[in-house]
Amino acid sequence: MRCPYCGGLNADYARFCARCGRDIVQKPAATPPPPPSRPSSPSSSAPQRPPYIQPRPPQPAPGLQPPLVSPRPPQPTTVPAAPVTRGRRTSGGQQTGVASAPSPSAAAPIAEPPTTFPPRTVRQLQELEVGALAYTVLDESESYGRKKIVRIGYPSCIGWQQVATLYKALKAYRSAQFDTIIIQGVSPEKADRYNYTNGMMQFDQNVRLGSQTLNRYQIETENGLSSDAIRIVLTEE
C-alpha cells in the first residue's frame, strides 16, 4: 500500500505509514480548488503621478512697477590739448603768436640718424655730430701713459645719439698732448660713480698696427654689457 501523503510503500495491513507516521486507512479530505482570481480593477492599480504643472513667474503686485535702470551715459573721449598760442600785440597793432612749450609728459619722437648707423667710416662718425645732445662735464682726470679721462652727463638717449654726443666731447678735448682720451657718458637716471652708463668712446693716437701708424676709435653704447649695447671700432690714418 502506498501512503497517500508522502508516497512511501507500506504493508497491506498497515494502519500507519512507516515513513511519515500518518494514518493511511483514512483518506485525506479533498482540498477544494481555489476560487478563480478576479481581474484587477483600475482602481486597485498603483496610484499614478499627477501631471507636472510649470510654476508661473512671480507677478508684481498691482500698482507697483519694476524699477527702471537708466543706461550709463557714454564717457567723454579725452583729446590731447593742442599747444596754447598766446597772442602779443606789436606797436603796429598786429598780433603775433608765441606757442607755449609742450607738456613735459609728452614723449618726444625718436629721431632718425642723419647717416648710416653703426658708422663704418670715420666720415660717417663725423656726420653723426649734428644730432649730439648738450652735455655737462662732471669731472676729468689725467693718468699715467699720457691718458686723459673725461666724464660727461647728458639725458638717456638712443645709441646713435650717444655716439654723436661722445664724439662732440672728444673733439673738444682732443690734443696732441695725450695719446689716449677716454670720454665716458653718464645719464642722470642711471648715475654710477665708477662706470659709464650712457656710452663710452676711447680715442688712441699714433697706434702701431703692423707697419702702419693709425688713429683708433673704440666706441660702446649703454654700459657696454647690456644685450642691446653696440661696439664700434674705426681707424684712420
Side-chain angles (χ1 to χ4, degrees):
M1 177 181 296
R2 190 173 291 275
C3 177
Y5 298 100
C6 66
L9 295 176
N10 298 279
D12 295 339
Y13 55 85
R15 180 178 179 82
F16 297 96
C17 177
R19 185 176 180 183
C20 64
R22 295 188 179 184
D23 188 357
I24 59 177
V25 177
Q26 184 178 1
K27 302 294 183 181
T31 304
S37 59
R38 297 181 179 180
S40 58
S41 60
S43 60
S44 61
S45 60
Q48 299 181 357
R49 299 180 62 181
Y52 175 76
I53 300 177
Q54 185 176 3
R56 295 182 179 180
Q59 299 294 333
L64 296 179
Q65 296 295 334
L68 299 178
V69 179
S70 58
R72 187 176 182 180
Q75 298 295 332
T77 305
T78 303
V79 179
V84 180
T85 303
R86 299 178 181 177
R88 183 177 60 184
R89 294 186 178 275
T90 61
S91 58
Q94 297 180 354
Q95 183 175 2
T96 60
V98 179
S100 61
S103 173
S105 60
I110 298 177
E112 295 293 333
T115 184
T116 303
F117 186 80
R120 300 178 180 178
T121 63
V122 177
R123 178 68 177 177
Q124 294 176 350
L125 174 63
Q126 295 171 351
E127 293 175 353
L128 291 174
E129 187 183 355
V130 298
L133 304 180
Y135 63 88
T136 302
V137 178
L138 302 179
D139 60 73
E140 53 183 282
S141 60
E142 298 180 9
S143 180
Y144 63 91
R146 300 180 60 179
K147 178 186 297 184
K148 188 177 185 64
I149 302 175
V150 182
R151 290 172 59 85
I152 61 175
Y154 53 94
S156 297
C157 53
I158 55 181
W160 78 265
Q161 288 181 321
Q162 295 178 20
V163 175
T165 308
L166 294 171
Y167 180 76
K168 179 181 178 181
L170 174 65
K171 287 182 59 178
Y173 284 92
R174 184 171 177 175
S175 172
Q177 181 182 356
F178 303 100
D179 291 336
T180 300
I181 302 175
I182 300 176
I183 309 296
Q184 296 180 342
V186 179
S187 66
E189 299 85 358
K190 305 175 183 178
D192 193 324
R193 183 175 180 181
Y194 302 102
N195 299 317
Y196 59 92
T197 59
N198 217 10
M200 183 276 296
M201 178 177 294
Q202 177 174 333
F203 174 71
D204 299 309
Q205 297 189 99
N206 304 322
V207 178
R208 297 282 300 184
L209 297 177
S211 61
Q212 295 180 323
T213 302
L214 304 174
N215 296 332
R216 180 176 59 191
Y217 299 83
Q218 300 182 66
I219 310 167
E220 293 180 348
T221 61
E222 305 297 336
N223 60 357
L225 302 175
S226 59
S227 59
D228 55 348
I230 301 174
R231 181 177 177 84
I232 306 167
V233 178
L234 300 174
T235 58
E236 65 177 355
E237 295 183 1

